[in-house]
Amino acid sequence: QVQLVESGGGLVQAGASLRLSCAASGRTFDTDAMGWFRQAPGKEREFVAAISWGGTTIYYADSVKGRFTISRDNAKNTVYLQMNSLKPEDTAVYHCAARSGAPRYSYGAYRDWGQGTQVTVSS
């Protein structure tokens, strides 16, 4: 099991950038795939990005492709989400998640979740 704590959220204007971090503790981080998901009020949790344990396989949602970058530093037990050119529709609580094996798009495939960090983008 992996314990996950997100940070880096905040209130920004459209067009700004934020970098989210997800600090992990536990003995399986460097063999886990990691994902970022987000959930806006009244909406279902949606996939944002995912990365394999070695960083060689990366997936993005079409809505963030070209604007967001997921990365990880296994030496620091941390996964990042660099978010550029933010839009009001990116407003949500962002969660990181861990799973054994390959990265997946479905939130049901992930085993461990952080509590989330709020990102609010004003127009």
Side-chain angles (χ1 to χ4, degrees), residues 37-41 45 90-95 115-119:
F37 293 78
R38 65 188 182 186
Q39 189 166 19
R45 190 167 297 189
D90 294 318
T91 295
V93 176
Y94 284 70
H95 299 266
Q115 81 290 349
T117 186
Q118 176 71 47
V119 172

Side-chain angles (χ1 to χ4, degrees), residues 11-102:
L11 171 62
V12 297
Q13 291 188 333
S17 298
L18 282 174
R19 188 174 82 155
L20 305 184
S21 298
C22 173
S25 60
R27 59 184 179 87
T28 64
F29 176 79
D30 59 354
T31 60
D32 280 348
M34 300 297 295
W36 284 99
F37 293 78
R38 65 188 182 186
Q39 189 166 19
K43 295 187 177 181
E44 291 192 355
R45 190 167 297 189
E46 66 171 351
F47 172 80
V48 176
I51 186 169
S52 61
W53 68 270
T56 56
T57 301
I58 291 176
Y59 301 136
Y60 294 103
D62 287 343
S63 58
V64 306
K65 202 170 293 183
R67 300 188 298 123
F68 290 11
T69 302
I70 189 172
S71 62
R72 66 190 295 164
D73 185 339
N74 288 343
K76 296 182 178 180
N77 283 1
T78 302
V79 62
Y80 304 98
L81 186 67
Q82 177 67 44
M83 306 187 296
N84 299 329
S85 302
L86 282 161
K87 304 175 181 180
E89 51 263 43
D90 294 318
T91 295
V93 176
Y94 284 70
H95 299 266
C96 65
R99 73 178 307 276
S100 300

